Amino acid sequence: MWTVGVDEAGRGPVIGPLVVGAVALPTADLEILLEHGVRDSKDLTHKKRMHLVNWFHEQAKHRGWKYSLVE
């Protein structure tokens, strides 16, 4: 079983870009995200967000997680 999440950010094409991100990973791996501190980016410092971006990409490659970012 896989879990998929989608989120968007931005104000749209009139004021600026709209960015949409999607992630799909095995449901059993959700706990890994929580243990590593993945949560709403507005609650994280810039430094912590950048750390999580690098960590996420490493995990995605190793674990076969799927993701896409569209601007």
Side-chain angles (χ1 to χ4, degrees), residues 28-40:
D29 287 354
L30 282 174
E31 190 65 30
I32 296 169
L33 295 176
L34 297 174
E35 289 172 358
H36 207 75
V38 175
R39 60 179 187 271
D40 190 332

Side-chain angles (χ1 to χ4, degrees), residues 46-59:
H46 178 73
K47 182 178 178 180
K48 180 67 174 178
R49 277 195 305 271
M50 293 300 98
H51 168 76
L52 287 173
V53 166
N54 293 328
W55 175 84
F56 177 85
H57 285 281
E58 290 172 11
Q59 295 300 309

Side-chain angles (χ1 to χ4, degrees), residues 3-21:
T3 297
V4 177
V6 179
D7 199 8
E8 54 76 25
R11 297 182 178 169
V14 174
I15 299 174
L18 175 65
V19 180
V20 180

